[in-house]
Amino acid sequence: MHPVKTLGQFIIEKQADFPYAKGELSRLLRDIGIAAKIVNREINKAGLIDILGEVGTTNIQGESQKKLDVYANEQFIAALTSGGECCMVVSEENEEVNHIDSPVSSDAKYIVAIDPLDGSSNIEVNVSVGTVFSIYRRRSIDGRCTLEDIYQKGINQVAAGYVIYGTSTMLVYTTGKGVNGFTLDPSIGEFCLSNPDMTMPKDGYIYSVNEGNYRQFPEGLKKYIKFCQEEDEATGRPYTARYVGSMIADLHRSMIKGGIFMYPASVNAPKGKLRLVYECNPMAFIVEQAGGRATTGQQRILELEVNELHQRSSIYIGSENMVSKVEQLLNEFPELG
Ligand code: P6P
């Protein structure tokens, strides 16, 4: 039985990968891990206490805010504020940025973009949900951070990760030197290394898309879905269709088993649905670090210009060979609907 390695021990151990590191990023990652444990505790009680349901407000997306959405947002912002390593937070739940002006954060150099509880509409049906986070180094030298500090391409991310609150709770993250997964051991309240050096299979046999929107899809995606459904034993087709409706659950499955997750631009959503800054970019960083690909169909996600906090992007992400195939068809048949 290998000795348990906790997230905290692992972060410190890996700090040596960064010769000039002074521990700020390590402390920031640990702050996020603490908030994830607090949110996990409430999610596991959802249904037993009055934390389900809606708070009667809507977020920037125009989506009704669930009590757990708001709770998770508060917990992560509180942890980032008290931790002192973050100077600004961009959250799916808040229209504007949160400046962290506490005295302990006066010389903080990191910015965190976060979707505190992605897929929260699935909580009432007991389906996995997740948190996604993305970390940048501020570009401004001093004073208060500005929007220019977060208007950075995804390739500039210092770290990114997700927490999946599922049959077990896992935290998966990268700092640009591979991807590692940690499973929460409730008996000791620690995330323990369970999936070292995660790699995404180059081929996959599961495709994940909301086919209810089929009629609105780009022609190339329609052709790709038909390709997935064709009988061809030599290439393992027909593939299997799996769509949880919670991006983190669909993407975590792809990280483990291979596969492709797609949320395309469509007639009703010409820029796609998912958000670039705190959904697509962090997931693209993680997937590329694991050997997969992430594209809009025309462009690498991590190269996209960022010029709005809540801008949307289409996304095709997962096993390299599957993403390349759908990209080829999208470029050959780009017309929508
Ligand atoms: P649809 C959840 O609301 C979410 O943001 C992602 O987690 C998920 O992949 C997607 O939206 C589901 O969207 O339109 O298929 O219900």
Side-chain angles (χ1 to χ4, degrees):
M1 175 72 178
H2 294 293
V4 160
K5 183 169 288 181
T6 67
L7 175 63
Q9 290 166 330
F10 184 87
I11 289 170
I12 293 298
E13 191 180 283
K14 291 298 178 184
Q15 190 173 299
D17 289 349
F18 301 88
Y20 305 107
K22 291 186 293 211
E24 294 105 326
L25 180 61
S26 298
R27 284 190 292 275
L28 181 54
L29 287 168
R30 281 215 300 273
D31 295 339
I32 291 171
I34 290 166
K37 288 192 276 190
I38 294 170
V39 170
N40 175 68
R41 184 184 61 199
E42 291 309 302
I43 285 177
N44 285 347
K45 287 190 289 190
L48 292 176
I49 58 172
D50 179 26
I51 198 155
L52 276 175
E54 299 175 358
V55 289
T57 55
T58 57
N59 62 14
I60 171 72
Q61 335 297 339
E63 295 164 345
S64 65
Q65 287 182 297
K66 310 282 185 191
K67 291 176 182 173
L68 266 174
D69 282 336
V70 174
Y71 176 81
N73 192 44
E74 288 167 354
Q75 292 306 314
F76 279 101
I77 290 177
L80 293 168
T81 302
S82 59
E85 302 303 345
C86 170
C87 57
M88 184 165 78
V89 179
V90 175
S91 169
E92 194 217 26
E93 295 302 323
N94 300 332
E95 184 165 357
E96 306 300 332
V97 300
N98 289 72
H99 289 283
I100 311 290
D101 293 324
S102 68
V104 291
S105 308
S106 57
D107 61 346
K109 63 183 181 189
Y110 292 112
I111 291 159
V112 176
I114 190 163
D115 185 354
L117 207 55
D118 178 69
S120 55
S121 56
N122 289 301
I123 288 174
E124 58 195 332
V125 295
N126 209 0
V127 163
S128 302
V129 292
T131 296
V132 193
F133 62 89
S134 168
I135 301 173
Y136 289 87
R137 195 173 282 103
R138 68 179 290 177
R139 289 196 295 202
S140 52
I141 305 299
D142 54 21
R144 222 182 199 202
C145 289
T146 69
L147 289 177
E148 291 313 308
D149 284 306
I150 192 64
Y151 290 165
Q152 301 188 51
K153 289 183 179 180
I155 49 174
N156 291 347
Q157 290 175 93
V158 173
Y162 63 85
V163 183
I164 178 167
Y165 309 98
T167 43
S168 64
T169 295
M170 283 190 71
L171 186 149
V172 175
Y173 83 97
T174 182
T175 56
K177 294 182 182 290
V179 182
N180 290 281
F182 300 79
T183 300
L184 182 63
D185 180 343
S187 68
I188 58 173
E190 289 283 4
F191 281 107
C192 301
L193 183 63
S194 53
N195 300 65
D197 295 323
M198 294 176 77
T199 54
M200 179 175 280
K202 293 243 177 288
D203 286 304
Y205 305 96
I206 301 171
Y207 73 98
S208 184
V209 65
N210 183 343
E211 291 192 58
N213 301 320
Y214 181 86
R215 291 169 60 85
Q216 304 174 37
F217 285 165
E219 195 55 32
L221 175 53
K222 291 179 180 177
K223 290 189 183 300
Y224 180 67
I225 291 171
K226 294 307 168 203
F227 169 83
C228 293
Q229 296 169 345
E230 282 166 356
E231 294 273 351
D232 179 32
E233 203 172 327
T235 55
R237 288 180 287 149
Y239 296 156
T240 295
R242 286 283 183 278
Y243 192 73
V244 177
S246 181
M247 172 188 67
I248 297 296
D250 284 315
L251 269 171
H252 184 67
R253 181 194 58 245
S254 306
M255 287 288 289
I256 304 293
K257 295 192 167 185
I260 185 169
F261 171 78
M262 303 174 280
Y263 207 105
S266 64
V267 172
N268 290 351
K271 292 187 177 176
K273 173 183 183 182
L274 299 182
R275 307 295 179 168
L276 178 58
V277 172
Y278 40 76
E279 291 175 328
C280 299
N281 266 336
M283 292 315 297
F285 186 24
I286 294 163
V287 165
E288 285 199 6
Q289 280 290 309
R293 289 193 61 210
T295 174
T296 63
Q298 285 74 37
Q299 199 177 347
R300 184 184 176 208
I301 292 282
L302 293 181
E303 295 281 359
L304 291 173
E305 290 294 339
V306 178
N307 43 44
E308 282 175 47
L309 285 184
H310 304 286
Q311 76 188 67
R312 300 176 191 270
S313 172
S314 58
I315 186 166
Y316 300 81
I317 182 171
S319 293
E320 181 181 3
N321 296 341
M322 298 181 86
V323 174
S324 300
K325 178 65 181 175
V326 71
E327 191 175 47
Q328 170 210 328
L329 289 167
L330 285 164
N331 286 302
E332 211 173 320
F333 308 96
E335 54 281 5
L336 265 185

